[in-house]
Amino acid sequence: METKKVWFVTGASKGLGLALVKKLLENNYRVVATSRSSQSLIKEIGEASDSFLPLEVSLTDNENVKSAIAKSVDYFGQIDVIVNNAGYGQLGTLEELSDEEARANFDINVFGTLNVIRNAMPYLRQQKSGHIFNISSIGGYSGNFPGWGVYCSTKFAVAGLTESLAEEIKDFGVKATVVYPGYFRTDFLNKDSLRTPAHSIQAYESARNSESTHLNEINGNQPNDPVKGAEAIIKISEEQNPPVHFLLGSGAAEFLDKKFETMKGDAENWESLTLSTVI
């Protein structure tokens, strides 16, 4: 009987992460789930078992992450698939957000991801197999959302580091995929999950409108089902040649098409000036 792979999923107590962990356990995979509170994981999923290990992890603490991955390998004997899902949305224009607010978003969304990659790779590299999924966003390739600049920049960073990672680790037989989810019916846009600026500037009317739309209209009405999103990620993990870029959910491709059209239009409109730099 084939031994199922071991998954390590961050941000697993809610949203897409929770849906993924539940679906993995349904399919007899072994799962390490992390959150800031192990009790939240136990409440949602259950106590530790032969197939499940809940861990309380601070992703911004490199030593804590290193210890968690070591515990995972000790518990299951291996680690195969990493899903860097933990993160949160930060609203606010670039002028509004304080240095502290901006850095906090990068600490979780980017540096937390790097901490996991840094400490998981020695195991994956040694066994010459594995797959790392980094969860970005449609805001990781299209940043034209007023009031989402810092959040989008964290997700652009996740996409960029994944592209480099894929090249760095391919010689070891390890894969990397950046996932760009569209709007999913999770609590991502709930007022207790989405952070807003401590000191807003009312002059930014477009940002205030975007904030209101996301909190009051889009929230709860997102078109995509997180369970189906989880199923899609699992299918990608089973592919021999998985994509580096994976658009997840209805609407994701439309944002990409608009980005391409904008960039192509700018390139064509300003080509003469671009070529004027040639000697």
Side-chain angles (χ1 to χ4, degrees), residues 171-191:
D171 290 342
F172 306 117
V174 184
K175 313 295 184 182
T177 298
V178 54
V179 180
Y180 303 94
Y183 287 106
F184 276 80
R185 290 189 300 280
T186 68
D187 56 4
F188 177 78
L189 293 176
N190 289 357
K191 290 183 179 180

Side-chain angles (χ1 to χ4, degrees), residues 31-222:
V31 183
V32 180
T34 83
S35 179
R36 288 172 295 177
S37 167
S38 59
Q39 287 305 309
S40 64
L41 294 167
I42 293 170
K43 178 182 177 181
E44 291 288 348
I45 304 165
E47 299 281 351
S49 67
D50 291 343
S51 60
F52 177 62
L53 177 64
L55 290 179
E56 188 167 309
V57 179
S58 173
L59 293 177
T60 58
D61 183 335
N62 183 67
E63 291 304 311
N64 191 219
V65 173
K66 183 177 182 179
S67 175
I69 291 177
K71 287 179 184 176
S72 303
V73 175
D74 288 343
Y75 195 84
F76 286 119
Q78 66 192 78
I79 194 168
D80 302 293
V81 183
I82 307 293
V83 182
N84 284 303
N85 172 70
Y88 69 90
Q90 174 66 67
L91 272 168
T93 67
L94 299 182
E95 180 185 353
E96 289 172 325
L97 293 180
S98 66
D99 180 72
E100 182 180 15
E101 288 172 308
R103 288 179 184 273
N105 205 207
F106 269 87
D107 279 345
I108 294 294
N109 294 8
V110 181
F111 291 105
T113 293
L114 286 172
N115 284 343
V116 174
I117 292 170
R118 182 184 305 113
N119 290 295
M121 269 309 302
Y123 298 99
L124 303 182
R125 180 163 45 82
Q126 184 176 26
Q127 69 192 25
K128 296 190 180 301
S129 65
H131 197 158
I132 298 175
F133 287 90
N134 295 325
I135 308 300
S136 179
S137 164
I138 53 173
Y141 58 76
S142 182
N144 59 333
F145 300 95
W148 290 87
V150 165
Y151 173 75
C152 286
S153 64
T154 68
K155 293 305 185 178
F156 266 76
V158 168
L161 68 86
T162 307
E163 287 187 356
S164 292
L165 179 67
E167 291 298 313
E168 293 167 356
I169 65 180
K170 64 182 182 181
D171 290 342
F172 306 117
V174 184
K175 313 295 184 182
T177 298
V178 54
V179 180
Y180 303 94
Y183 287 106
F184 276 80
R185 290 189 300 280
T186 68
D187 56 4
F188 177 78
L189 293 176
N190 289 357
K191 290 183 179 180
D192 59 349
S193 297
L194 182 65
R195 299 188 189 180
T196 55
H199 303 287
S200 61
I201 301 172
Q202 293 307 309
Y204 283 104
E205 185 176 351
S206 60
R208 298 289 78 77
N209 289 339
S210 176
E211 180 179 320
S212 176
T213 298
H214 280 85
L215 289 173
N216 301 316
E217 296 178 28
I218 296 176
N219 186 32
N221 296 306
Q222 298 96 323

Side-chain angles (χ1 to χ4, degrees), residues 8-43:
F8 183 96
V9 183
T10 70
S13 63
K14 56 186 179 180
L16 182 61
L18 178 58
L20 177 59
V21 169
K22 288 183 175 180
K23 184 56 64 173
L24 286 167
L25 292 171
E26 281 180 24
N27 286 276
N28 299 315
Y29 287 95
R30 294 172 291 168
V31 183
V32 180
T34 83
S35 179
R36 288 172 295 177
S37 167
S38 59
Q39 287 305 309
S40 64
L41 294 167
I42 293 170
K43 178 182 177 181

